[in-house]
């Protein structure tokens, strides 16, 4: 394999990793804190893209649309958490079924509202075209995604590690019962974290829009990738999500280029190995 | 994804009939048309357009075919083989349809082919699987659109002879439709002196094509045969990566109905299709006007395909005097249909039930604020065997992932 191909794949692995980080960080936090395997997460991603496409169509600029669309998805997430998931606390099978059912419902509503036609989201004008990285042409927008992901990772880390709110969330992840005893309102944290996770997913859907466009089925394409990331990295761990995202980014890009027939094997085999050898994931804590 | 909406029935025909005073003579019972389509999930885009095209056709005929009222029964297969089989049985055994239009995808069609042959119900489908009209023909099957490779043979001819392309890289989804398309392209292109240097097969679900784009180099052109929303994603990412080789595409890869979703990255793309919305024929003008009026978009191959299939059904019913009881007579009439004016131009069927008709090479350009496909060359009377001898063609293996093999 020649150098420039390797370089293109490597840089692209980082951008795909960045996008996956935005998607899976929320999934991981929600699962880590609330033990909810949120299968609606892919729908949040798709919904974010659709809403932003409409907003942009009405003249809102790309970045405002991304923020706003994320907020709307977060509000939707909050409603889902308050009205439905709250009642199913602890019932994991029911949660799986409800979130899966919701994802089908969201898909059908999107099909009705935005039709089956794929919708493109234009790349923000400042980031159009290709930039040269070490002599290889590379789309500027993809590099920007990598930068955005790193900024978000830093911000999320600061939030979780440096603030009082972050300390409360970490306490909730580690031992919800004890957190309650010391006076943390865990149920309010749940809603907050769920909204944050939904916001990140919706935002990721917009950020991914210029590359992926938005179309029926996008939700079901992204969800498994988020699952792999979280299983690899370990749920509830931000570092796990970050590392897992980049591992999946690299596996995806190099796997499809080098072993196209085995693309899925390359993607899912490491996940199986991790599940067998280290069920809590690379950076997850031992359950219990 | 197998959510199934409840089936909707469009009984406008009977509603209209009820509004009129009853004549003294007994009315013949309505002819019932079953439509197998996909209205949920990732294939819904094409499936919804199929229903739109057929509805437009029936409206144009005021829900009357060969003197009989026509009823449309729409079934949503959910885009999977099991759902298709269930819905087909419902249509045949419960709804007593006289013929079936659809389904959309080859894997759906293959799931019901045997059942339909046993039940002797005629199927008019857009599904492109080669062997349905070649090595394993179904006598009750009629295809007025194209086989997978039928579109690619003329495209390859055009690329080699008119575009003077010498070396190409093909890229298409890793399933039978993609394999058959690119096999067809390769045979004709290499027989014309060109060379396929690489064939890339991304999985159907590929959010990011970069790993494949990174392998594209050392060619004069790229051939893409994507379907659904994938062409959009592929072409955009292709241009974002700074790739400049011209793109030639299949009917699904450059479909007219997709144009409103494409951006400037599609300008200059050459595609080949059995249907082009710029064809100047009376029936096509009517179809385009109706689609724009009712649904706000020009028709693509799915809508036009069903409109054309509606016309085939109508022509056959006229030949049988509106009778549908004799299944053998109906299928003979269907396969004997030859139309001079249709949205795809004149066409007829070969002895295996596959279309012989025009194929259009189009170039995508910007006109005002819209992208349009403009026909640059018409290949008339194209059969599924191209210019090859039928016996020889059928003695060769069906086009597949590795056939014809790449020359090393």
């Amino acid at each position: 394999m020649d150098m420039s191909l390797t370089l293109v794949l490597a840089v692209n692995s980082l951008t795909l990793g960045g996008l996956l980080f935005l998607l899976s960080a929320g999934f991981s936090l929600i699962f880590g804190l609330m033990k909810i395997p949120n299968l609606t997460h892919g729908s949040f991603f798709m919904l974010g893209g659709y809403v932003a496409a409409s907003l942009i169509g009405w003249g809102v600029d790309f970045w405002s649309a991304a923020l706003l669309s994320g907020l709307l998805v977060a509000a939707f997430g909050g409603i889902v958490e308050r009205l439905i998931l709250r009642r199913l606390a602890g019932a994991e099978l029911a949660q799986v079924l409800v979130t899966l059912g919701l994802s089908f419902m969201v898909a059908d509503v999107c099909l009705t509202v935005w039709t089956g036609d794929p919708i493109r989201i234009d790349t923000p004008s400042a980031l159009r075209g290709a930039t040269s990285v070490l002599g290889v042409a590379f789309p500027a927008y993809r590099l920007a995604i990598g930068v955005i992901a790193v900024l978000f990772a830093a911000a999320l880390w600061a939030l979780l590690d440096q603030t009082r709110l972050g300390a409360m969330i970490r306490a909730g992840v580690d031992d919800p019962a004890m957190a309650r005893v010391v006076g943390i309102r865990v149920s309010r944290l749940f809603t907050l974290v769920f909204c944050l996770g939904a916001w990140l997913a919706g935002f990721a859907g917009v950020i991914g829009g210029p590359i992926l466009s938005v179309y029926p089925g996008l939700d079901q394409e992204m969800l498994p990738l988020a699952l792999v990331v979280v299983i690899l990295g370990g749920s509830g761990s931000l570092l796990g999500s970050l590392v897992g995202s980049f591992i999946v980014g690299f596996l995806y890009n190099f796997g499809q280029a080098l072993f196209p027939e085995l693309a899925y094997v390359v993607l899912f085999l490491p996940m199986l190995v991790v599940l067998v050898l280290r069920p809590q994931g690379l950076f997850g804590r031992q359950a219990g | 994804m197998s959510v199934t909406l409840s089936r909707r029935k469009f009984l406008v025909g009977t509603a209209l009939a009820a509004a009129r005073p009853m004549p003294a003579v007994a009315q013949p019972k309505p002819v019932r048309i079953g439509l197998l389509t996909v209205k949920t999930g990732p294939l819904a885009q094409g499936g919804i357009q199929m229903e739109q095209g057929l509805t437009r056709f029936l409206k144009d005929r005021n829900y009357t075919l060969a003197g009989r009222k026509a009823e449309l029964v729409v079934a949503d297969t959910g885009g999977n083989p099991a759902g298709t089989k269930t819905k087909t049985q419902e249509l045949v055994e419960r709804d007593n349809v006289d013929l079936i239009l659809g389904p959309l995808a080859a894997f759906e069609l293959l799931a019901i082919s045997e059942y339909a042959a046993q039940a002797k119900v005629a199927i008019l489908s857009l599904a492109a699987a080669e062997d349905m009209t070649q090595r394993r023909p179904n006598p009750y099957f009629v295809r007025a659109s194209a086989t997978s490779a039928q579109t690619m043979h003329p495209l390859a001819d055009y690329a080699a002879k008119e575009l003077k392309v010498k070396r190409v890289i093909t890229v298409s989804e890793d399933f039978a439709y993609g394999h058959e398309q690119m096999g067809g392209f390769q045979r004709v292109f290499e027989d014309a002196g060109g060379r396929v240097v690489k064939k890339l097969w991304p999985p159907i679900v590929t959010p990011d094509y970069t790993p494949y784009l990174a392998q594209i180099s050392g060619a004069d052109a790229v051939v893409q045969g994507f379907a659904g929303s994938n062409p959009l994603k592929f072409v955009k990412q292709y241009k974002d990566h700074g790739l400049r080789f011209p793109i030639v595409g299949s009917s699904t890869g450059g479909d007219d109905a997709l144009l409103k979703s494409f951006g400037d990255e599609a300008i200059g793309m050459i595609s080949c299709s059995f249907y082009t919305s710029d064809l100047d024929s009376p029936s096509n003008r009517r179809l385009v006007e109706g689609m724009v009026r009712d649904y706000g978009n020009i028709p693509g191959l799915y809508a036009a395909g069903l409109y054309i299939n509606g016309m085939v059904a109508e022509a056959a019913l006229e030949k049988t005097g509106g009778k549908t009881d004799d299944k053998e007579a109906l299928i003979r009439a269907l396969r004997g249909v030859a139309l001079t004016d249709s949205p795809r131009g004149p066409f007829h069927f070969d002895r295996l039930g596959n279309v012989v008709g025009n194929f259009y090479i189009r170039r995508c350009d910007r006109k005002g604020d819209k992208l349009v496909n403009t026909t640059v060359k018409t290949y008339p009377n194209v059969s599924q065997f191209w210019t090859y001898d039928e016996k020889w063609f059928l003695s060769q293996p069906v086009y597949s992932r590795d056939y014809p093999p790449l020359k090393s």
Side-chain angles (χ1 to χ4, degrees), chain A residues 61-86:
Chain A
D61 79 284
F62 179 83
W63 299 106
S64 314
L67 296 174
L68 200 59
S69 178
L71 283 179
L72 290 170
V73 174
F76 173 64
I79 292 170
V80 168
E81 199 278 330
R82 276 275 158 181
L83 293 185
I84 305 170
L85 293 175
R86 170 136 311 182

Side-chain angles (χ1 to χ4, degrees), chain B residues 54-70:
Chain B
L54 186 56
T55 307
R56 268 311 322 155
F57 170 74
L58 290 171
K59 278 187 184 164
D60 277 351
R61 298 297 187 272
N62 203 14
Y63 284 84
T64 307
L65 301 179
R68 275 174 81 181
K69 282 283 159 203

